[in-house]
Each structure stands twice: as structure tokens, then as C-alpha cells.
Amino acid sequence: MANLTTAKAITFLDIETTHLDPKQSAVLSISIVTDWDNGKQDVWTTKIKPKEIELKYASKEALDVCHYSDEEWSDAPSFEDVAETIANKIKYGPLVAHNINFDIAHLKASFLRRGWEETKPGEKYGSGNKKFNPGYPLIDTCALAYIFLPTERQNMTALREHFEIPKEGEHTAEKDVMDCREIFYKIIGGVGD
């Protein structure tokens, strides 16, 4: 049986979106960090320029939280431009995020709206076939914190405070994914103590 000690990679994910509802949302930015079993690390982050129709349904609060502006995102690639890269990077599991169901739901909705298909169990996929499959298992640092930490709340703010992680830069995909990664390793490092 495979586990974290035998995994070829652990992949960490964070996205920022235009809305809380995946049906109305677009991905504004994404950061994916892969820790390989050979000790190497791959860090990939990009802003993603939303379509005009996606901005029409965007939540002003979400845009404010993510510090969205037309100028800052003017040169960003579209989701279509980076979809294959995302599909290739999230296929390595375990896949870890804070409130992972949120990230996965928004990514799936973005892929499906653009004609991509989620693979079926055991189905192989490769470059150019517009198929995706998030790595397995999905691990939620919010759930881990609920189980293993004495914190009253399990949101990123509470966990940053608990582990004394600076909050400057929060609500950016790169800062949040790196903090999620640190929180994950601190939690699993303390399990069994």
C-alpha cells in the first residue's frame, strides 16, 4: 500500500477566484508546488485573465480580496492557454490544499466549461487530448487541522497565527500555497508526538 513515505510526489495547490460559486466563477490565479521524492521541487504560479463574461458574474468582494485589476491581469494568459499545464501538474498525488474541495470544484468547472473531460478510473491521458484528473488522494489541511490541532478555528488566518506564519501577502495563490505546504508538514510532523 502506498503512503506519504512511498509517494513519488506530493502536490500542493491554491487558486484565487472571481466568485465563491464554481458555476459563476473564473480562476484568477493558481500556484502549484510539487515536492518530488528525489528532493527536487517544482513551483509554478500564474495569473489567469478572465473572460469578459466571467467578470460580468464576478463578486466584487472576491475581486477585492484577490487584488484584481484589469491592468495587473492585462498580460496574463487565458485559462485555455494554461489548461494543459494545470492538468499535467495536478495529476500527481497526493494533492493537498486548504479547503481542497473548493479548489477542485472551481478547477473542474473551469475545465468542463471549456470542453475538457475528467478521466475515468484507470483511463490514461496525455498531451493534447483535453482530459484531466486531479491526483489521489485529495488531502485537506483544514480537515487535518480540525483533527490534530487545538485551534478553535481552522481557517488560514487561525493556522497562520497558530504556527506563527506571517500573513503579509495572504490571498495570493503563491503565498497561500506555500503556507498550506508549511502547515501540512507541521501537522503531519507532529502526528504521533
Side-chain angles (χ1 to χ4, degrees), residues 110-121:
S110 290
F111 277 120
L112 295 173
R113 276 197 300 271
R114 289 160 176 87
W116 284 65
E117 296 177 29
E118 188 170 7
T119 61
K120 295 166 182 56

Side-chain angles (χ1 to χ4, degrees), residues 166-183:
K167 69 177 194 169
E168 291 77 27
E170 65 184 347
H171 298 298
T172 62
E174 191 165 16
K175 166 70 171 161
D176 290 352
V177 78
M178 289 301 196
D179 289 356
C180 174
R181 179 181 175 275
E182 183 175 348
I183 288 164

Side-chain angles (χ1 to χ4, degrees), residues 13-16 65 67 98 141-142 145 149 151-184 186-187:
L13 165 71
D14 188 78
I15 65 171
E16 302 299 325
V65 166
H67 311 290
H98 193 78
T141 53
C142 182
L149 297 181
T151 57
E152 192 171 308
R153 300 187 69 194
Q154 293 76 39
N155 62 36
M156 286 294 280
T157 300
L159 299 183
R160 284 183 175 114
E161 287 174 10
H162 179 79
F163 288 117
E164 299 178 354
I165 299 170
K167 69 177 194 169
E168 291 77 27
E170 65 184 347
H171 298 298
T172 62
E174 191 165 16
K175 166 70 171 161
D176 290 352
V177 78
M178 289 301 196
D179 289 356
C180 174
R181 179 181 175 275
E182 183 175 348
I183 288 164
F184 172 78
K186 286 184 175 194
I187 291 172

